[in-house]
Each structure stands twice: as structure tokens, then as C-alpha cells.
Amino acid sequence: MKQTDMQFPEGFLWGGAIAANQVEGAYQENGKGLSIADILGNGIFNPPYEHPGKKNPYHEAIDFYHRYEEDIALFAEMGFKALRTSIAWTRIFPNGDEETPNEAGLQFYDQLFDCMRKYNIEPVVTLSHYEMPLGLVKDYGGWRNRKLIEFFERYAIAVFKRYKDKVKYWIAFNEINVLLHIPFVGGGTVIEEGENKKQIIYQMAHYQHVASALAAKACHEIIPGSQMGCMIAAGPYYPHTCHPDDILTAMEMDRQVYFFTDVMARGYYPTYVKRWFKEYDVELDLTAEDEQLLKQHTVDYISFSYYKSRCASADPSGLEMVSGNLAMGVKNPYLKASEWGWQIDPTGLRFTLNQLYDRYQKPLFIVENGFGAVDTVEEDQSIHDDYRISYLRDHMIEAGKAIEDGVELLGFLSWGPIDIVSASTGEMKKRYGYIYVDKDNEGNGTLRRIKKKSFDWYKEVIASNGASL
Ligand code: BGP
């Protein structure tokens, strides 16, 4: 542990973040319908999405559905103040277009949120985390159909009414900018050859913006004092050189991400979309009522995932590209990378926090940050994940510096506080947890939970409110 003079605010929400499709398993239990996650075999990037015969890792995940009491007790032992998870939309509306919700699905989340509250852990709930109903894909064409707004609003109202005394913090869509990179996972639609991809993507984005505004409206009406957030996969684009063209390219790449928060945090479409839509030949189905809703029901806070930064170049030909959370980028020669090539940049987190706060002057919330790595279980069952401790420590220090810069930061939720199924690879070997889960990529293992070295480290971080990192 390092003693720091970091002053995290009283009530700072230290904790973790998971997602229903990556932890729960029980993919068809108690009336749950199939979600798009249930047909992903090798993670979100790897079409074809049907993998007949392949054991789908999301079907069992880490069996959180049956083991959540044990897992939440472990989170409570670390002193968690908050836990982010998603509600599996298909537990509540199996096909997505039913008139009435599935009572067994509602009961599961009653029990889950009661268990969190028993330990004074604040739930932070994502309504849609890459797990929309497959029924809405097959029967309606996914988010390219305006009817999805109605179905999403019905789902949101059902859970707001059910959990109004248990959940205060809500997020509509996980990493809404995933639409730009994987329209199937973000929007439940396959864009065919010859279709105008940008038209479909920005139309789906618009419908989700309206759905987010309707969710914010309903949330505030049903749950007094509730907070509705939006959520993006953040990570700044640095110009690869100081050539003015690289600066412009970096600005444009950042704008592609902040376009979504611009709309949901400010309540109107930014003027730069006029050029975009002209260039992309995009004409939105956007009504005057939509515009009113966006303007009147903006989000209360802006949340985001942060794993890495990337570089942008006006002419990337010949430059090495690196992968990362959703978007590729030009390799930054000053940064190291994880085993999955995600470049490590704690300073970038401080930069992102300042950029977002300067842009919106709304509270911010880090709802994903973590280090995916291959962990080794020693003979004596110990797991020395010092690499994860140093990654997280460095990022928490930068978050603390951003608070000293004047940023209002609600909390820091580590992604995957327990090992879970990776979204991009569908693998278990890319482990994020303070808690190891005995399951391998082939699905073998006892699912036993084992505390890693980082478990006690994070417990001390939380107990000291960041003074000891
Ligand atoms: C984000 C998702 C999370 C999580 C995270 C880590 O895009 O919101 O679901 O998976 O990425 O990515 P991965 O699991 O691919 O390492």
C-alpha cells in the first residue's frame, strides 16, 4: 500500500461493475427469453453470431444467478459502497414486446437488490448492457424500428415501479457508442451490403437518445431523487503528431464519441452533425416531439468506461494500429500495453475526466476501469496479481488528481470485481477480478471463488477512502 494525500470526497462510491450477460448464466431459467448475448459464441466482435454446437460461455457465465449471495458477501467484505450491474431485459420481457412483465424475473432482481441493500451496497443499474431481446431483433429489426422506443419505455417503467425503493442510480444504455463499431450488439440489427450504414447507425442512435430521454422522464416521475445517467466507452484520441491535420483528426474522433453525450447531456443535436449528415447522406426520422423530449429530459450524470487512450492520425497508412475497448487506434509509442494490446494510460483518465467535466459541468461517474490479465493460481491457492493492483492504483491516483482539478466525481467502479466472461473475446482467461473464479475457456472448473492479492488491497483502499492506495 502507498499512503497518498488523496482527498476523495465523503460518500465517494467505491465499488465494482458487472453485467447480467457476463455473470448470471441461467440463460433460460424462470421464463427468461433469449438475448443477443445468448447467441454470441466468441464475444461481441466475432460474427457469425450463431455458433451451432459451440458451448456459449454466456449461457452459464459464472452462475451469479444462483451464487449472488456469496459474491455480494465478498464484495461487502471488501467494503463496497456501490455495485453496478444490469437487469437482463429478457428476464422481465422475454421476447421484448409483451404487455406484462415476467413476475419470476422481477422477483430475482428484488432478491438481488435486497441482498445488496442488506450490506448497504448502492445498486447502480444498467437497463441494457449488450443484452437486448433476440425477439425484438427477429420480429422488429432491432433499433432501426421506432417501435423499440415504446418497448424500451415499457421495460424501464416496469422496473422503475418495481424497484423504486431499492435503486436510485440508473443508466439507460451501456457504451451507447458501440453502435458505431458493432451495430448488431448495440442496435440488434445486421446492416446489409449496399445499405447506408451511417443512416442506420445514426437513426438507431436517435431512437436510443429518445428512449433515454423517456427513461429519464419516467425515472424522475416514479422515483423521487433518482439519478439517470448516460454511458459511453471513453478514452481520448491524442493527435499522433503536432501536425495540424492530426489535431483536427483527433478532434473529429473525439466528437464521434462525445456526440452521444452531447445529445443526452445537453438535450439537442450539436451543429457539427449538419456537416456529418450531409457528408454521410443521413436524414433522421426526428419529430418535433422527439426534440422536445431530448430538451426537457437530459441526464443527471455522465458515466463512462475507461481502459485506455488512443492516437489519431490524418494519415494512418504505415502506422501500427492497436486494438482496444471497441475502437482501434494508432499505437502510442510512449505507452505500454496489456496482453490484449490495450495501451495503459492512467494520465488519460485524468485528461478524460477534465475533458468531460469542462464540456458538460455535470457529475461524472467511472463505471468501468480494470485490467484484464491471465492470472496464475499458485500451489498454495494464492494469486499474486500485483500487475492489477498497480494498474488500478495508478488510475485511482489520477482520478483523485482530477477531483483536485475540480471535477465532480461520484465514484469509481472497478470493472469485473469478480472474474467474468470477457465481452470482446467470450473468454474466461481475460480476468479482471479481485476474486478468481475456477472456470476455464472451455467451461471446465468448479466455479469456486478464490480471493486474489488485490482483494485485501482494494479493501484497504475503500476503508481509507483512497488515502491508502
Ligand atoms: C466494455 C463492456 C464491458 C466489459 C469491458 C471489458 O466494453 O462494457 O462489458 O466487457 O468492455 O472488455 P473485455 O471484457 O472485452 O475485456
Side-chain angles (χ1 to χ4, degrees), residues 19 22 44 84 129-130 174-175 231 233 305 307 325-326 342 368 372 415 420-425 430 432:
Q22 292 173 261
I44 59 178
R84 174 187 176 221
H129 193 131
Y130 300 162
N174 177 67
E175 298 188 332
M231 196 270 190
S305 60
Y307 294 95
N325 184 26
L326 300 188
W342 292 18
E368 288 185 30
W415 175 253
I420 60 178
V421 181
S422 159
S424 55
T425 65
K430 188 175 187 185
Y432 282 89

Side-chain angles (χ1 to χ4, degrees), residues 11 110 138 151 202 335 339 348 439 441 461:
D110 262 328
K138 296 191 168 176
F151 297 140
Y202 284 101
L335 299 176
E339 291 153 282
K439 179 177 180 179
N441 277 1
V461 170

Side-chain angles (χ1 to χ4, degrees), residues 18 22-23 61-62 71 75 371 373 375 377 383 385 388 415-422 427-439 447-450 452:
I18 52 180
Q22 292 173 261
V23 295
I62 60 166
D71 294 340
F75 299 153
F371 189 62
D375 293 328
V377 182
I383 300 161
D385 57 337
R388 180 168 295 110
W415 175 253
I418 185 169
D419 291 349
I420 60 178
V421 181
S422 159
E427 295 180 312
M428 279 302 297
K429 79 174 184 180
K430 188 175 187 185
R431 297 176 184 278
Y432 282 89
Y434 300 107
I435 301 157
Y436 185 92
V437 174
D438 176 25
K439 179 177 180 179
L447 288 171
R448 189 162 59 93
R449 274 67 166 146
I450 308 172
K452 303 178 192 177

